Amino acid sequence: MSFKIGLLGLGTVGTGTAEILLSPEGRHPLVQELEIYRVGVRDISKPRDVQISKEILTTDLEAIVTDPEVDIVVELLGGLEPARSLILKAIAHRKHVVTANKAVISRFAEEIYDAANEKGVYVMLEAAVGGGIPIIQPLKQTLGVNRIQAITGIVNGTTNYILTRMQNEGADFADVLADAQKLGYAEADPTADVEGFDAADKIAILASLAFGGRIKLEEVYHEGITKVGAADISYAEKLGFVIKLLAVAKQMPVASNQPEQLQVRVHPTLVPKQHPLASVSGVYNAIFVEGDPIGQVMFYGRGAGAGPTASAVVSDILNIASILKTVSQPPTPNLHPLLACTHQHYCQIAPMDELVTRFYARFLTNDSPGVIGHLGTSFGNQGVSLESVVQTGFQGELAEIVVVTHDVREGNFRQALAEIRSLDAVDSIASLLRVL
Amino acid sequence: MSFKIGLLGLGTVGTGTAEILLSPEGRHPLVQELEIYRVGVRDISKPRDVQISKEILTTDLEAIVTDPEVDIVVELLGGLEPARSLILKAIAHRKHVVTANKAVISRFAEEIYDAANEKGVYVMLEAAVGGGIPIIQPLKQTLGVNRIQAITGIVNGTTNYILTRMQNEGADFADVLADAQKLGYAEADPTADVEGFDAADKIAILASLAFGGRIKLEEVYHEGITKVGAADISYAEKLGFVIKLLAVAKQMPVASNQPEQLQVRVHPTLVPKQHPLASVSGVYNAIFVEGDPIGQVMFYGRGAGAGPTASAVVSDILNIASILKTVSQPPTPNLHPLLACTHQHYCQIAPMDELVTRFYARFLTNDSPGVIGHLGTSFGNQGVSLESVVQTGFQGELAEIVVVTHDVREGNFRQALAEIRSLDAVDSIASLLRVL
C-alpha cells in the first residue's frame, strides 16, 4: 500500500519534507509507503537541493489538487492565496490536507473545516505552530481530557532571538533587528514578527484547539516588541524578570450565569526568572499548558527551520496514512474524533479591560519632592496597589520611576494612568508592560 | 455509542482516573462516552474519595478482564503480579488495555505485545513514563519520522526532589531522604527510586519506542544517587554544573559493517547549567529528545501524582475509543500502525566500557608534592585528557582533588583509575560521576 502525496511548494520546508520522504531508512517503517507523486513549483528549471525527478514537477498546482491519484495534498506555499483556494479545492476533491500555513488556518478555519467535515477528510497542521515541537497533536490527543486553564507560549522565534540578544548584550531593539536581518533571523519586512501578527495567528489556533471553539482572529489582542527598550530589559532583570513576547490564551474566571470567556492576547511580558518559560532563549519556542488535573506541562524546541518544520509536516502525513491503513476502505466512514476538528461555536473573547494582571510601568517625571506620593495617590484612587516602586535614576533632567503593581483589572489601571498623565510632575510614561 | 471501562485498582491513580471519567464537563466531548462499567478493588467496604456505586465494585478482578461487556481494561494495580496475568487474560479476551505499569511493560513487553498483536488489540501506556507529560504518544505519532539520536530524561521525581533539595540546602543525601519520606515524596523502602530501578524501567520503554526495537531490561545499566555527596553538588556548582539522575538512550556511532548499537543507562550526571534539563527542579520530570531533522525538543511536567497520571490514563482510553469509533466495526480490521507496537527484534546494547563521555572524579590524596603530576601521568597513559583539575581543599589530613576529563572511552578511563588507585599518594576515589 502506498500513499500518493501532492506537494505544493518546494521552498525551505518543502525541500525538508521531500528529504525526509526520500530517505526513509531509520525512520518509522510507514514512511516507506509515502510516495512523492507530484510537486507543484513556480519554476521547473530552478536548481534544487533535493533530488526530485523533473517529471513529477509541475507549475500547474490546480492539476495536483484535482488529480484523482493524489491521496494527501501538502500545502507549503505560505501566504493567503492561492494557498486557501488550493486547500479548499483539494478538500472538494476529497484529498486530505496537511499544511504549515498558520495565516490561512487562523483566518479561514471555519470555511476549511466545514468543507473538510462535509467531505470526510482531515486537515492537519502540526507545523503551523511551534515548528517541530509536537503541540497540536498533544493538544488534540493527550491533553483534551483536561479542562485547560491556560496556554502561554513563546511562539515566535524571531522576536525571542531579538529579545534574548537585547538581554545578553544590553543592546537596543533597532540595532539587534538590523543585525538579525543581516543574519537571516528576521525578514526584510519584519512586521509580522515584531508587531505580533505571527504570534496572534498561532495563539488563535492553539486557543481553538485547547478550548474547543473557534476564535475570531480580529478579536485577538496583539502588541509587538518594538517599544521594549534596553532600559526595560535591564530594570526587569534587577526586579527578577526577563522580558518575553508571550502569546496567552486563558479561561476567565466564570461568574455565575455568565457565559465562559477567554482572554487571547499577545504582548511583551515580564516573566519571573524561575518560570520555565524564562530560560527559553534565542530562536527556541516553548508552549506552557496548564490544565485540570494535569497541572503544568511544557513543550520546548526549535520553532522554525526546514528540518523541524518538515518533521511536523511528515508526522501529519504519517498520521493520516495510519488512519487510512486502519480503516482499510477510504474515504473513512467516520472521521477520527480526536484528529478531526468538529467544533462549531465561537469562543467569547473578553475585552482587554477585563484582564486582571500585574503591570510594570516606567515613568519619566520632574525631580520634585512628592512625585512618588502623587503617583501612589492616583493609583490608590483606582484601587491599584503597588508591589514595588523604584526610583531608578535620571534621564537628563528627568527622574525615572519604575513601578510593579499587584494584580489589577486592566481597565482600572488604564484609568489610573490617565490621571497620572495629567499630573504636572509627570513628563511621560516611557513604557508599560504586563507581568506574568 | 459508549465504551465500557473495566478499572483494575482504585488507589491514587485509579481514583484520579474515575474522577475525570465521572466529570466530563469541560473536557473533550468523547469523555462523555466512556463508562466506568466495573471496578476491581481489594476491599469493597473501604471508604472512597470518589462517588462510585457499590454495585460496580468487585473483588473478582478476573471477572472484569473476562467480562464480554468490557471494551477497555485499565490496569492500575502496579507491581508485577497479578497485573501481568490480568493484562494477558484481558488481551486473550480481546480487550484493549491501558496501563500505567512501567515494571510490567519493561519486563514483559514481548509477551504482552505479541499477544496484543495476535488478538488485534491495543496496549497503551502513556502513564507509565513521565506521569502526565505527553511523551509516549509524541514518540509514537509525531517524532517517529525522525531518526532519533538520543533521549535524555529526568524521569524519577523522587530522586530529582532529593537532588534539588541537596543542592538548595547543601544537605546530605541521608538527611534529605529521611525528610522526603516524612513528607511522602519518597517511599518507606526507597530502593526502586534512589537506586535507579524505576528510571531503568522507564528508559527501557522510551528506548524501545524511540529506536523501534525491544530492550532487555537486564542490559540497562543503572546506578542510583546514594553515593552523591553534598561536596560533589557543591564542586559541580562551582564548575558550572548541576547533578541530576539522568536516564539516557543513545545511538552509538556506527562503524562500517557493524550492527547498530544503543547505550541505555541511568546514572547521576553533571549537567551544564545552561542545558534545558538543568533547570528541571523538584518533583518535575523532563524528557529531552534529539533527532534528525527535528533537532532538540523537550517535554516537561509533573512526573507523578494522581491528577497528571490520570490525565495520561484517560488520554489513552480516549485514543482507543477514537479508533473504535473511526473503524465502526470492532475488533479493528487492522491495528493503527502508530499506536500498535509491532517491532520484533531486540536492540543491541553496547557495553558501558564502550561509552564515550566526560567524567568528574574526586580524589582524596596525601598532601605531598607532585600528586597532581602523578594523576596526570596515569590519565595520560590511558589517553585521558583533562578539561580541568582543581585542588579544592582538605578533608582532615587529606587533600581533595577534583578533575573533569574531556570525552574519553569509559574502559580507558577505568584503566586509568585502576592505575591511580595503586598510587601511594592516593587515599581513595571519593566519587565518580559522568558529565553530560
Side-chain angles (χ1 to χ4, degrees):
Chain A
M1 198 160 176
S2 112
F3 301 92
K4 294 191 168 58
I5 314 290
L7 190 58
L8 308 181
L10 199 54
T12 314
V13 179
T15 302
T17 300
E19 278 171 356
I20 296 178
L21 295 175
L22 294 173
S23 66
E25 324 76 61
R27 312 186 193 284
H28 192 285
L30 193 54
V31 176
Q32 287 169 19
E33 301 182 34
L34 308 176
E35 179 197 346
I36 305 181
Y37 182 76
R38 285 283 180 277
V39 182
V41 296
R42 212 171 295 168
D43 175 3
I44 290 182
S45 61
K46 190 176 158 186
R48 307 279 170 188
D49 289 340
V50 64
Q51 279 215 312
I52 288 193
S53 148
K54 283 250 154 75
E55 281 146 41
I56 66 171
L57 295 184
T58 172
T59 56
D60 185 353
L61 275 58
E62 281 223 6
I64 295 179
V65 301
T66 57
D67 188 324
E69 288 293 310
V70 169
D71 300 303
I72 302 169
V73 167
V74 178
E75 184 276 304
L76 301 174
L77 302 167
L80 296 182
E81 284 295 350
R84 172 186 150 279
S85 303
L86 288 166
I87 288 172
L88 287 168
K89 190 158 274 188
I91 293 168
H93 286 77
R94 294 194 186 276
K95 314 298 179 201
H96 303 284
V97 173
V98 173
T99 176
N101 198 322
K102 59 204 158 274
V104 164
I105 295 293
S106 63
R107 281 163 188 77
F108 304 108
E110 179 173 358
E111 188 178 18
I112 289 170
Y113 282 104
D114 283 352
N117 292 334
E118 196 201 313
K119 295 290 182 183
V121 296
Y122 298 99
V123 177
M124 305 278 277
L125 65 156
E126 183 61 70
V129 183
I133 306 170
I135 176 62
I136 304 288
Q137 286 186 32
L139 272 177
K140 286 179 171 178
Q141 296 192 252
T142 320
L143 302 177
V145 306
N146 291 273
R147 298 189 183 113
I148 303 295
Q149 295 147 343
I151 294 192
T152 311
I154 295 172
V155 293
N156 181 274
T158 301
T159 49
N160 203 47
Y161 172 83
I162 292 174
L163 290 171
T164 302
R165 281 195 54 191
M166 287 174 71
Q167 186 187 328
N168 294 346
E169 300 164 22
D172 272 317
F173 171 75
D175 296 338
V176 177
L177 172 62
D179 203 47
Q181 287 173 315
K182 256 187 246 163
L183 295 168
Y185 289 116
E187 306 272 347
D189 176 358
T191 314
D193 292 318
V194 302
E195 296 292 0
F197 290 96
D198 172 80
D201 287 354
K202 291 169 177 168
I203 194 67
I205 292 172
L206 294 179
S208 176
L209 290 168
F211 297 103
R214 288 170 173 168
I215 303 284
K216 292 201 174 101
L217 185 61
E218 61 273 23
E219 293 181 347
V220 177
Y221 174 86
H222 65 99
E223 187 187 315
I225 64 164
T226 55
K227 287 182 220 146
V228 176
D232 298 311
I233 289 179
S234 154
Y235 293 136
E237 161 91 38
K238 281 175 202 139
L239 291 162
F241 298 96
V242 293
I243 298 182
K244 296 287 182 191
L245 183 69
L246 295 189
V248 182
K250 197 171 175 181
Q251 194 100 49
M252 293 286 283
V254 181
S256 57
N257 299 325
Q258 294 294 310
E260 285 191 357
Q261 286 197 319
L262 293 183
Q263 308 157 13
V264 189
R265 50 193 166 93
V266 173
H267 48 71
T269 314
L270 274 72
V271 178
K273 278 184 196 167
Q274 64 277 18
H275 192 286
L277 288 170
S279 51
V280 176
S281 299
V283 297
Y284 278 84
N285 280 197
I287 296 107
F288 189 81
V289 182
E290 293 163 274
D292 171 38
I294 198 173
Q296 307 178 328
V297 289
M298 189 173 82
F299 302 82
Y300 166 97
R302 287 187 79 95
T309 311
S311 162
V313 166
V314 181
S315 80
D316 275 348
I317 302 175
L318 208 61
N319 272 274
I320 294 173
S322 294
I323 298 281
L324 299 182
K325 274 186 93 87
T326 310
V327 296
S328 55
Q329 77 286 44
T332 56
N334 304 303
L335 282 175
H336 185 291
L338 300 183
L339 297 185
C341 182
T342 51
H343 51 246
Q344 303 278 339
H345 77 286
Y346 277 87
C347 295
Q348 199 169 327
I349 308 296
M352 282 299 280
D353 269 359
E354 297 301 327
L355 175 63
V356 173
T357 182
R358 291 192 287 167
F359 280 93
Y360 157 102
R362 180 161 58 95
F363 300 94
L364 295 177
T365 72
N366 298 330
D367 182 29
S368 58
V371 175
I372 288 182
H374 292 315
L375 287 178
T377 306
S378 298
F379 280 128
N381 290 342
Q382 296 296 333
V384 180
S385 89
L386 301 178
E387 185 178 297
S388 54
V389 181
V390 195
Q391 174 145 7
T392 54
F394 289 89
Q395 292 236 353
E397 306 254 300
L398 296 169
E400 205 166 30
I401 297 173
V402 168
V403 307
V404 175
T405 72
H406 284 294
D407 267 346
V408 52
R409 195 179 149 275
E410 178 149 342
N412 294 38
F413 183 72
R414 298 241 171 231
Q415 281 194 327
L417 288 185
E419 195 176 319
I420 286 168
R421 266 195 201 91
S422 73
L423 294 175
D424 284 345
V426 172
D427 177 83
S428 58
I429 302 174
S431 68
L432 187 63
L433 297 165
R434 293 171 192 84
V435 180
L436 186 63
Chain B
M1 196 157 176
S2 115
F3 301 91
K4 294 192 169 57
I5 315 290
L7 190 58
L8 308 181
L10 199 53
T12 314
V13 179
T15 302
T17 299
E19 279 171 354
I20 296 178
L21 295 174
L22 295 172
S23 66
E25 324 78 59
R27 312 187 192 283
H28 193 284
L30 193 55
V31 177
Q32 287 167 20
E33 301 182 34
L34 308 176
E35 178 196 348
I36 305 181
Y37 182 75
R38 286 282 180 277
V39 182
V41 295
R42 212 171 295 168
D43 176 2
I44 291 183
S45 62
K46 190 178 159 185
R48 306 281 170 187
D49 290 341
V50 65
Q51 278 214 312
I52 287 191
S53 149
K54 283 250 153 74
E55 281 148 41
I56 66 171
L57 295 185
T58 171
T59 56
D60 186 353
L61 276 58
E62 281 224 7
I64 295 179
V65 301
T66 57
D67 188 326
E69 289 293 309
V70 169
D71 300 302
I72 303 168
V73 167
V74 178
E75 185 277 304
L76 301 173
L77 303 167
L80 297 182
E81 285 295 350
R84 172 186 151 276
S85 302
L86 289 166
I87 288 172
L88 287 168
K89 190 159 273 187
I91 292 168
H93 285 78
R94 295 195 186 275
K95 314 298 178 200
H96 303 284
V97 173
V98 172
T99 176
N101 198 322
K102 60 205 157 274
V104 164
I105 295 293
S106 62
R107 282 164 187 77
F108 304 109
E110 178 172 359
E111 188 178 18
I112 289 170
Y113 282 104
D114 284 351
N117 292 335
E118 196 201 314
K119 293 291 180 182
V121 297
Y122 297 100
V123 177
M124 305 278 277
L125 65 157
E126 183 62 69
V129 184
I133 306 170
I135 177 63
I136 304 289
Q137 286 186 30
L139 273 176
K140 286 179 172 177
Q141 296 193 253
T142 320
L143 302 177
V145 305
N146 290 275
R147 297 188 184 113
I148 303 294
Q149 294 147 342
I151 294 192
T152 311
I154 295 172
V155 292
N156 180 274
T158 301
T159 48
N160 203 47
Y161 173 84
I162 293 173
L163 290 171
T164 302
R165 281 195 54 191
M166 287 174 71
Q167 186 186 329
N168 293 345
E169 300 164 23
D172 272 316
F173 171 75
D175 297 338
V176 176
L177 172 62
D179 202 47
Q181 287 173 314
K182 257 187 246 161
L183 294 168
Y185 289 116
E187 307 272 348
D189 176 359
T191 313
D193 293 318
V194 301
E195 296 292 2
F197 290 97
D198 173 81
D201 287 353
K202 290 169 177 168
I203 194 66
I205 292 172
L206 293 178
S208 174
L209 290 168
F211 297 102
R214 289 170 173 167
I215 303 286
K216 291 201 176 102
L217 184 61
E218 61 273 21
E219 292 182 347
V220 177
Y221 174 85
H222 65 99
E223 187 184 316
I225 64 163
T226 55
K227 287 182 220 146
V228 176
D232 298 311
I233 289 181
S234 154
Y235 293 136
E237 160 91 39
K238 281 173 204 141
L239 292 162
F241 299 96
V242 293
I243 298 181
K244 297 287 182 193
L245 183 69
L246 294 189
V248 181
K250 198 171 175 180
Q251 194 99 49
M252 293 286 283
V254 182
S256 58
N257 299 325
Q258 293 297 306
E260 286 191 357
Q261 286 197 317
L262 294 183
Q263 309 156 10
V264 189
R265 50 192 166 95
V266 173
H267 48 71
T269 314
L270 274 72
V271 178
K273 279 184 195 166
Q274 64 277 18
H275 193 285
L277 287 170
S279 52
V280 176
S281 300
V283 297
Y284 278 84
N285 280 196
I287 297 106
F288 190 81
V289 182
E290 293 163 274
D292 171 40
I294 197 172
Q296 306 179 329
V297 288
M298 188 174 81
F299 302 82
Y300 166 96
R302 289 186 77 94
T309 311
S311 163
V313 166
V314 181
S315 79
D316 276 347
I317 302 175
L318 209 62
N319 272 276
I320 294 173
S322 294
I323 299 281
L324 299 182
K325 273 185 95 87
T326 310
V327 295
S328 56
Q329 76 287 42
T332 55
N334 303 303
L335 282 175
H336 185 292
L338 301 183
L339 297 185
C341 183
T342 50
H343 51 245
Q344 303 278 338
H345 77 285
Y346 278 86
C347 295
Q348 198 167 327
I349 309 295
M352 282 299 280
D353 270 359
E354 296 302 326
L355 175 64
V356 173
T357 182
R358 292 191 288 166
F359 280 92
Y360 156 103
R362 180 160 57 94
F363 300 95
L364 295 177
T365 72
N366 298 331
D367 182 30
S368 59
V371 175
I372 289 183
H374 292 315
L375 287 178
T377 306
S378 298
F379 280 127
N381 290 343
Q382 295 297 334
V384 180
S385 89
L386 300 179
E387 184 178 298
S388 55
V389 182
V390 195
Q391 175 145 6
T392 54
F394 289 89
Q395 291 236 354
E397 307 254 298
L398 296 170
E400 205 166 33
I401 297 173
V402 168
V403 308
V404 175
T405 72
H406 285 293
D407 267 346
V408 53
R409 193 179 151 276
E410 179 150 343
N412 294 38
F413 183 72
R414 299 237 170 234
Q415 282 196 324
L417 288 185
E419 193 174 322
I420 286 168
R421 266 196 201 92
S422 72
L423 294 175
D424 284 344
V426 172
D427 177 83
S428 58
I429 301 173
S431 67
L432 188 62
L433 297 164
R434 293 171 192 84
V435 179
L436 186 63

